[in-house]
Amino acid sequence: MKTAFDVILKPVLSEKAYAKFAEGTYTFLVAPTATKTEIKNAVEAAFKVKVVRVNVQNYEGKAARLGRFVGKKADRKKAIVTVAAGQKIEALEGLI
């Protein structure tokens, strides 16, 4: 069974993500195999908030080259989580 921290890898700490904090929207990098339901349950368990909506974005890894060697960066999945009105994730609010 997956724990909340197997699903949520880390928060996205960008200027655009900070701007959404006032609206109750938080952005996380999540496991590429995680579903919306798993993400919702993980955020609710880890941060003790009620999740209203989960949107996900999949990013395909770019081609990377080092000299004559060609490889690929890892694929990523980003989750944009909206919490119920009046609630916030205090752990992330303090980072601003």
Side-chain angles (χ1 to χ4, degrees):
M1 176 155 169
K2 294 182 184 179
T3 65
F5 299 104
D6 290 334
V7 176
I8 301 170
L9 302 180
K10 64 182 181 177
V12 175
L13 302 176
S14 67
E15 205 171 317
K16 192 172 185 180
Y18 285 140
K20 295 284 189 177
F21 283 4
E23 300 170 16
T25 302
Y26 300 90
T27 307
F28 300 96
L29 284 180
V30 296
T33 58
T35 63
K36 286 186 176 187
T37 306
E38 288 174 339
I39 295 166
K40 177 183 176 183
N41 293 337
V43 171
E44 287 178 347
F47 300 108
K48 308 291 189 271
V49 293
K50 174 73 176 144
V51 174
V52 176
R53 181 175 41 221
V54 177
N55 295 337
V56 294
Q57 298 173 346
N58 288 302
Y59 293 95
E60 188 175 334
K62 294 181 179 181
R65 183 182 183 109
L66 183 61
R68 65 187 176 108
F69 302 103
V70 178
K72 180 177 171 269
K73 292 186 179 180
D75 295 339
R76 300 173 295 155
K77 185 181 243 185
K78 186 164 76 171
I80 301 168
V81 177
T82 304
V83 298
Q87 292 187 338
K88 57 177 137 178
I89 297 176
E90 294 295 334
L92 297 180
E93 292 285 339
L95 298 175
I96 296 177

